[in-house]
Amino acid sequence: MDRLAMDTLNGTQWDVVISGTGLPQSLLALALSRSGKRIIHVDHNTYYGGADAALSLQDAEAWVHIVNEHNDTLDRNQNSQNDGKSRGALPVVFQKAAIFIPTEKANVSAPRAPVSELGYSRAYSLALSPQLIYTRSELLPTLVSSKVYRQLEFLAVGSWWLYESDKRDESRAVPSAKDNTGGKLKKIPGGREDVFADKTIDLKSKRNLMKFLKLAADVEAQQPVLAEWGHRSFEDFLTSQFSISLELQSALHALTLSLQPPTATKTSYALPRITRHLSSIGVFGPGFGSVIPKWGGMAEIAQVACRAGAVGGGIYVLGKAVIDIRNNHPVPNEVNQRRVTVGLQDGDTVTCEWIAGSDCELPGRPSIVTDNKSSSYISRSITIVSSSLLELFPLTAEGAPPPAGAIVVFPTGSIKQRTSPPVYFIIHSSDTGECPTGQCVIYASTLGSDAFDLLDIAIQKFFMTFAEEERPSTLWKLQYSQQQPHQEHESQPKIDINDGINSFPESGTDLAFDDSTLATVREAWNKISGDTEGYMQFEDREIGAYDDEGALT
């Protein structure tokens, strides 16, 4: 059906309704794009990407207003999440959103003139849920086999840095963002060669570290170790089994990307992730093991996947929420066929055989909206800084591509008390297209729903590692908390498929893409398509197939 020829959606019939344009839903649209099924893809937002979206400065201002307005509505009436108006706003994935700029009125929630050094709004494409993609991830070959890789560009993540506090830092019981003390950044070794070359590590420590790295490289040898130590803390494991110092443990813990302190990070979580990190280095070239999509992170992948869905005949309608799934009933005289009646925003009703979406996009599901008070959150900030931070992006090896990403980790105890969680910076250079030349974007994350002070201190400590004449400053900052759909060390939730409803688990807050997302997408594709072979295995389309811009709204 031609979208441009449609007067109304009311009363139309579809094979599949997809609710939300987050990464899982968008990948499902891509997987079904050659199926010949009649698909309508809706999103309550007016932009693509859902929780993975990338925003301009003006978009961010509007987003802050929507987040806070929606949370205020839910606070007044917790039962309003099934109301059509509230469903058209934003599920409670985010809260406590605020924008700060270096002016007299720092906290704003409406558009205002940028400061002199800040670029125009569309010069920025800021990712709400930034993630690394390890080169061993199944996502990359999936994008290749589905033929959408030609519309994407990936850039290397180079050096990983560890913040080391100085004595003055450690002596302060309650540091603040105004403290002018600073430590230094130390490069984390990228493998055995780097460990051998590091003159700051003594010979005995190198031997202990090499024993651990040997285990990390042998997946088969890890199985009996995980059976015995998997439930124990990673710190306990490294101390008891390898006598690795706490200083070196901080570097290893950083490679896990765990938001928990080492004492709360299970070995069953940490060891496979260090294996992932080390085994990914060199897959696509020397000196790097992970990449980031250009132009807005995972949102770019979601939008390219949706474009493929539109080329395949899917109809896209933004600003249209699913507000009701009223009944399911079998189709008369048709075996294994059903019709799901779906109520949409503005009074439209459609029917379909299948509907797919995340829990918070499907009314009546066990949505995270209903678990707002008891849920676990992480605190995040996006900071645009007035420097290219060139020191953080050295070439990591001969023949390596110029890196556009860098990781800075503030380990547990380097900012506050020993039990405070680590802070992670994913730093993107202007080569990503996310900010103008001469600036960088710092994506900061830590555990806790209201840990913004920890993020602020980390930003200031980071600035202090630069010489005074080269010290960067903040041009603009967005802070918010994001709900964790499950505990970090628990089993990943699986897709719930029942009576024509495919309910995806919420997008995770992991700092690296989790391949379990692909598993849930494939399971939904199996059910909807009825196929077991040919998943995301496509031939090239004819030249000009992607010229139909009218397929997207």
Side-chain angles (χ1 to χ4, degrees), residues 18-66:
I18 302 178
S19 178
T21 56
L23 191 59
Q25 298 99 310
S26 299
L27 290 174
L28 177 61
L30 171 61
L32 294 171
S33 63
R34 310 289 182 100
S35 67
K37 292 187 177 295
R38 292 161 51 84
I39 299 172
I40 183 169
H41 198 160
V42 302
D43 195 323
H44 66 272
N45 294 305
T46 57
Y47 52 81
Y48 289 90
D52 301 300
L55 306 176
S56 67
L57 300 186
Q58 187 174 356
D59 292 337
E61 297 277 5
W63 181 82
V64 167
H65 177 74
I66 291 172

Side-chain angles (χ1 to χ4, degrees), residues 279-485:
S279 66
S280 294
I281 297 174
V283 171
F284 293 136
F288 72 100
S290 58
V291 295
I292 47 179
K294 191 173 182 179
W295 307 116
M298 308 308 283
E300 186 68 8
I301 297 177
Q303 187 155 344
V304 166
C306 287
R307 187 178 299 124
V311 171
I315 303 300
Y316 281 76
V317 185
L318 299 181
K320 178 77 74 172
V322 171
I323 62 172
D324 189 21
I325 303 175
R326 287 197 284 269
N327 56 68
N328 306 301
H329 54 272
V331 178
N333 303 320
E334 294 190 36
V335 179
N336 296 326
Q337 295 292 307
R338 71 184 68 77
R339 279 293 164 191
V340 180
T341 302
V342 179
L344 300 176
Q345 191 177 353
D346 300 325
D348 291 329
T349 299
V350 301
T351 57
C352 60
E353 183 180 353
W354 295 95
I355 182 170
S358 64
D359 278 348
C360 68
E361 301 280 357
L362 299 178
R365 304 303 301 166
S367 171
I368 56 175
V369 171
T370 61
D371 194 31
N372 187 26
K373 302 301 182 182
S374 60
S375 298
S376 174
Y377 282 81
I378 66 172
S379 292
R380 283 189 149 154
S381 67
I382 303 174
T383 304
I384 301 170
V385 299
S386 62
S387 171
S388 58
L389 304 178
L390 289 177
E391 299 91 334
L392 297 183
F393 301 97
L395 285 177
T396 50
E398 184 178 353
I407 310 299
V408 175
V409 184
F410 291 75
T412 292
S414 64
I415 299 178
K416 282 191 172 183
Q417 63 270 26
R418 168 132 172 74
T419 57
S420 63
V423 174
Y424 288 87
F425 289 178
I426 301 177
I427 304 180
H428 290 189
S429 76
S430 60
D431 290 344
T432 62
E434 296 175 18
C435 63
T437 301
Q439 299 177 12
C440 279
V441 181
I442 300 177
Y443 297 100
S445 303
T446 195
L447 194 64
S449 65
D450 196 14
F452 304 119
D453 61 332
L454 197 62
L455 298 181
D456 289 342
I457 295 171
I459 289 287
Q460 293 307 313
K461 298 298 183 187
F462 172 70
F463 287 169
M464 292 300 297
T465 64
F466 292 83
E468 185 173 358
E469 63 275 10
E470 299 175 352
R471 191 163 296 157
S473 61
T474 296
L475 299 178
W476 184 96
K477 183 184 73 171
L478 167 65
Q479 69 179 35
Y480 52 95
S481 59
Q482 183 175 359
Q483 190 170 19
Q484 292 184 294

Side-chain angles (χ1 to χ4, degrees), residues 215-232:
L215 174 65
D218 190 342
V219 175
E220 186 175 344
Q222 292 175 21
Q223 301 313 307
V225 173
L226 291 174
E228 180 180 358
W229 287 90
H231 66 287
R232 304 274 291 275

Side-chain angles (χ1 to χ4, degrees), residues 28 356-357 493-497 501-505 519-521 523-525:
L28 177 61
K494 297 181 179 180
I495 189 170
D496 182 9
I497 301 177
I501 301 173
N502 295 258
S503 180
F504 290 106
T520 60
V521 171
E523 188 175 354
W525 173 82

Side-chain angles (χ1 to χ4, degrees), residues 82-288:
N82 288 328
D83 173 74
K85 183 176 180 181
S86 67
R87 292 298 299 181
L90 190 75
V92 183
V93 176
F94 302 99
Q95 64 176 13
K96 300 179 181 178
I99 290 175
F100 298 86
I101 56 178
T103 63
E104 291 182 358
K105 295 182 179 180
N107 189 342
V108 298
S109 58
R112 51 184 292 134
V115 297
S116 59
E117 295 183 76
L118 202 60
Y120 63 93
S121 173
R122 293 292 172 186
Y124 300 90
S125 182
L126 307 174
L128 289 176
S129 302
Q131 288 185 314
L132 313 180
I133 303 174
Y134 275 101
T135 57
R136 291 284 185 187
S137 171
E138 288 299 317
L139 179 61
L140 297 177
T142 297
L143 297 174
V144 171
S145 66
S146 62
K147 307 305 180 185
V148 297
Y149 70 98
R150 295 187 181 93
Q151 302 170 65
L152 295 163
E153 184 175 349
F154 294 94
L155 303 171
V157 175
S159 300
W160 290 55
W161 305 88
L162 193 71
Y163 178 83
E164 292 185 342
S165 57
D166 62 17
K167 298 298 182 181
R168 291 174 296 170
D169 267 347
E170 295 172 355
S171 66
R172 292 173 180 263
V174 185
S176 73
K178 296 182 179 180
D179 289 341
N180 60 4
T181 59
K184 62 181 180 180
L185 297 181
K186 182 179 179 181
K187 192 174 180 181
I188 297 176
R192 294 187 179 187
E193 294 80 5
D194 290 343
V195 171
F196 278 122
D198 194 330
K199 296 180 180 180
T200 66
I201 305 176
D202 63 71
L203 183 59
K204 181 178 180 181
S205 295
K206 285 183 179 180
R207 289 173 178 170
N208 293 338
L209 191 54
M210 294 305 296
K211 289 180 182 178
F212 170 76
L213 294 179
K214 181 179 179 180
L215 174 65
D218 190 342
V219 175
E220 186 175 344
Q222 292 175 21
Q223 301 313 307
V225 173
L226 291 174
E228 180 180 358
W229 287 90
H231 66 287
R232 304 274 291 275
S233 77
F234 191 48
E235 180 179 291
D236 190 10
F237 173 65
L238 293 177
T239 301
S240 301
Q241 296 299 298
F242 297 95
S243 300
I244 294 176
S245 67
L246 291 179
E247 179 181 356
L248 291 177
Q249 286 189 32
S250 294
L252 292 173
H253 185 266
L255 301 182
T256 71
L257 295 174
S258 172
L259 293 168
Q260 298 280 355
T263 54
T265 299
K266 294 181 180 178
T267 304
S268 59
Y269 179 90
L271 186 54
R273 280 157 179 78
I274 291 180
T275 300
R276 174 185 65 181
H277 178 92
L278 297 175
S279 66
S280 294
I281 297 174
V283 171
F284 293 136
F288 72 100

